[in-house]
Amino acid sequence: METADTFSLSRRRFTGSMLGGAGLIALPGLAACARAVTPGVSPIDGLPRARPEAHGVDPQAILAFLDEVRGAGLELHSFMLSRGGDVISEGWWTPYRADRPHMMHSLTKSVAVSGVAIAMQEGLFGIDDKVASFFPDELPPTVSENLAAMTVRDLLTMRTGHAEEISGSVWRQIKTSWVAEFFKVPVVHKPGTRFVYSSAASFMLSAIVTKVTGQTLRDYMEPRFFKPLGITGLSWDVGPGGINPGGNGLTWKTADALKLGMLYAQKGRWNGQQILSPAWVEAVSKPQVAEGEYSYQWWIGANNTYYAVGLFTQMSIVFPDHDAVLAVTGAIRKSEMLSPIVDKHFPAAFAAGSLSPNDAGYAALTGRTRNLSLLPALPATTSPMVARISGKAFKASENADGIESFGFTFEGDRCRFTMRDGRGEHSVDVGIGRWIEGETSMTGNKLHHQYQPDSMVVVAGGRWTAPDTFEMIWQFAETAFRDTVVCRFDGDTMTFDRSVNVNSAAMSLPTVRSTLG
């Protein structure tokens, strides 16, 4: 597992690690939705399917990409590849599924600015309008010259004049107006002169749309963007003042991230309807800052590509020269290890015209995508400790996380683990020798980039690694996060250790000690 360090969003690439790799197996009792590509239209996303050869892609080229990702030990949760408007390959690593949404983190920014572009197309505001002009009631008593000069364009290009990045993980902990908070940040540089990646800029774009329309950005985009693209079932967090964060907080399916890229690959057109102006799409595909890697909240990549990217490597990569898009979700902390693999295999895999069928290669590819899995098999272990602790409570000593107590209830091949803290009592149903899917309110903010929804889908399994040690794995199957919990027993005492696979801050929590009550 990688050690924790500070994550910088002001760069193109992200990297990470994976639990397992070659030899992973399908999970018993869970539907594996890693689906082979077959011609037709998916009822899940409405997109047509075709064999890769029909669009000039050898199945072996896709297999080579998957082989290298696996060999590098990178943790993908899903991938979808389209060309010419058809999905030509796709797969989900169980317990992730085609119909299951995934938290997108900063990929949200590229969605949000699509809504901003539509608002500008409708004449609601202009790219050179002053940011301060929208919020006269929330400005500080003294408006600096630099703040007064800041424009919508400066927000779009992350050139606000701020000296440092503002992460969404920081703002999620603020319960008062984020607009007012934005105006408190010193504008130390002349806007438009210095690139500093910041989720605060994306939030202000969302706030502007809400100010001029009276709607959240999500509601404004529903009839203009989500509905035409057939995007349903998404959720988007709402912050103080009823404003979507803009820079993060969006959860939707892998296919929706693919559709975002496909819309741009098709120059803003979808099923005969012009959703985004071709001029906007053209502008997005080119650098808009002096540093050369950033456009209007899209990143500029190698080989004339551009892409939307979110923390822990949620990506939609557009290959405009080839009418192709690759969308992935995963738990890769930075992309320096993934992007070179993508650049090596794509667009080299895109031939001109169609190819002759490669039945052996296609069978190998579909066999692989049907059997992708993330979590390992669990042994059906037990311990004499079960009889001693089941149904009893452990009182926690004072700790920084406000945990009050723990409990274990073992019944057959499952254990219900409970934890009480300042938010209330939370439980996770854990399989013994198998994985169990359920929902939980388990506190996770410090290990989960400060996200803490009231309910999360969790796939959980446990095992006794020694007579005195019970280990649980909690895969939060709509996010990048997988927690490993180790409980060690010694007489009437128990120590509780919890760590995570990826995070923007600490990767583990301090040990909590407890005593059998």
Side-chain angles (χ1 to χ4, degrees):
M1 178 176 292
E2 297 186 39
T3 57
D5 60 11
T6 301
F7 178 82
S8 172
L9 282 168
S10 56
R11 60 178 65 184
R12 289 173 50 198
R13 312 292 192 184
F14 308 102
T15 62
S17 60
M18 183 176 185
L19 175 72
L24 295 178
I25 56 94
L27 304 182
L30 291 176
C33 290
R35 303 175 312 115
V37 176
T38 54
V41 174
S42 166
I44 294 173
D45 54 48
L47 292 173
R49 267 62 177 170
R51 283 181 56 151
E53 303 98 318
H55 288 281
V57 180
D58 190 325
Q60 292 286 2
I62 302 171
L63 266 175
F65 165 71
L66 295 176
D67 284 343
E68 191 158 351
V69 169
R70 183 171 63 180
L74 301 182
E75 182 178 331
L76 286 184
H77 295 163
S78 68
F79 82 95
M80 295 184 75
L81 179 65
S82 72
R83 195 176 190 198
D86 291 337
V87 177
I88 59 173
S89 190
E90 59 193 324
W92 284 261
W93 280 254
T94 304
Y96 295 88
R97 303 195 310 243
D99 63 340
R100 173 165 278 164
H102 196 289
M103 188 180 289
M104 289 289 123
H105 298 284
S106 284
L107 184 145
T108 305
K109 292 176 171 64
S110 302
V111 181
V113 296
S114 300
V116 171
I118 293 171
M120 290 193 294
Q121 289 168 199
E122 294 183 348
L124 300 182
F125 55 87
I127 197 169
D128 292 313
D129 286 355
K130 299 295 192 290
V131 176
S133 69
F134 294 97
F135 306 100
D137 297 336
E138 299 204 61
L139 293 172
T142 301
V143 178
S144 69
E145 182 179 346
N146 282 345
L147 175 55
M150 188 191 303
T151 66
V152 171
R153 188 189 303 272
D154 298 327
L155 297 177
L156 285 167
T157 57
M158 302 285 189
R159 297 181 299 177
T160 59
H162 294 164
E164 297 179 349
E165 170 190 344
I166 299 172
S167 169
S169 63
V170 174
W171 277 32
R172 274 189 289 281
Q173 301 173 72
I174 299 172
K175 305 306 179 185
T176 54
S177 169
W178 293 356
V179 173
E181 203 69 29
F182 179 88
F183 288 132
K184 292 177 186 176
V185 181
V187 186
V188 298
H189 304 285
K190 181 180 178 181
T193 62
R194 187 169 182 264
F195 173 81
V196 176
Y197 188 96
S198 177
S199 289
S202 309
F203 165 75
M204 289 301 288
L205 291 167
S206 177
I208 288 171
V209 172
T210 296
K211 185 69 173 181
V212 300
T213 66
Q215 298 178 282
T216 63
L217 180 58
R218 186 254 180 270
D219 288 347
Y220 174 74
M221 293 180 67
E222 174 62 28
R224 297 167 174 85
F225 185 89
F226 298 127
K227 186 174 181 180
L229 269 63
I231 294 173
T232 61
L234 76 154
S235 64
W236 201 337
D237 294 347
V238 178
I243 302 170
N244 296 127
N248 45 64
L250 177 69
T251 297
W252 66 4
K253 298 184 290 293
T254 310
D256 302 328
L258 185 76
K259 289 177 180 180
L260 171 69
M262 291 173 68
L263 175 67
Y264 278 79
Q266 294 163 182
K267 303 187 186 306
R269 198 166 183 82
W270 193 267
N271 289 340
Q273 180 181 353
Q274 196 72 44
I275 307 294
L276 299 171
S277 77
W280 168 262
V281 174
E282 179 65 19
V284 162
S285 71
K286 300 294 186 290
Q288 297 295 331
V289 300
E291 288 83 349
E293 293 183 347
Y294 204 65
S295 181
Y296 291 139
Q297 310 219 353
W298 285 74
W299 293 90
I300 304 301
N303 304 312
N304 199 36
T305 64
Y306 57 100
Y307 57 94
V309 63
L311 187 62
F312 313 129
T313 313
Q314 326 311 317
M315 300 184 77
S316 183
I317 308 167
V318 182
F319 301 86
D321 296 341
H322 305 277
D323 190 14
V325 179
L326 174 65
V328 301
T329 64
I332 304 172
R333 193 163 55 90
K334 298 180 182 179
S335 73
E336 281 92 350
M337 293 177 69
L338 179 67
S339 293
I341 297 173
V342 173
D343 296 344
K344 173 181 175 180
H345 293 276
F346 307 102
F350 302 135
S354 61
L355 300 176
S356 299
N358 178 352
D359 290 337
Y362 183 67
L365 176 60
T366 55
R368 173 75 62 82
T369 58
R370 284 192 184 104
N371 292 287
L372 298 171
S373 188
L374 181 64
L375 298 177
L378 288 173
T381 55
T382 189
S383 164
M385 192 64 65
V386 169
R388 177 173 172 78
I389 66 174
S390 185
K392 298 183 174 67
F394 286 80
K395 183 179 179 180
S397 58
E398 186 175 350
N399 59 89
D401 296 305
I403 298 171
E404 300 169 8
S405 65
F406 305 100
F408 303 82
T409 301
F410 288 87
E411 293 183 358
D413 60 356
R414 69 169 56 210
C415 170
R416 169 159 287 191
F417 172 79
T418 58
M419 184 183 85
R420 176 170 286 279
D421 61 13
R423 295 176 60 234
E425 185 168 285
H426 320 283
S427 64
V428 177
D429 287 331
V430 179
I432 308 297
R434 65 190 183 105
W435 298 93
I436 295 177
E437 179 172 324
E439 294 196 4
T440 185
S441 61
M442 182 64 66
T443 299
N445 58 320
K446 289 183 180 179
L447 293 181
H448 295 178
H449 195 56
Q450 293 297 339
Y451 281 102
Q452 188 155 272
D454 292 333
S455 180
M456 296 175 285
V457 174
V458 63
V459 176
R463 60 177 181 167
W464 289 92
T465 59
D468 63 350
T469 304
F470 185 56
E471 179 186 80
M472 294 176 282
I473 297 173
W474 303 340
Q475 184 80 44
F476 295 93
E478 294 181 354
T479 78
F481 307 117
R482 178 177 59 257
D483 292 1
T484 299
V485 177
V486 179
C487 301
R488 294 182 176 88
F489 302 89
D490 183 8
D492 288 344
T493 65
M494 187 267 285
T495 57
F496 174 87
D497 289 284
R498 183 177 176 185
S499 59
V500 71
N501 59 331
V502 288
N503 195 21
S504 56
M507 301 282 285
S508 61
L509 297 176
T511 298
V512 178
R513 302 183 185 280
S514 63
T515 304
L516 192 62

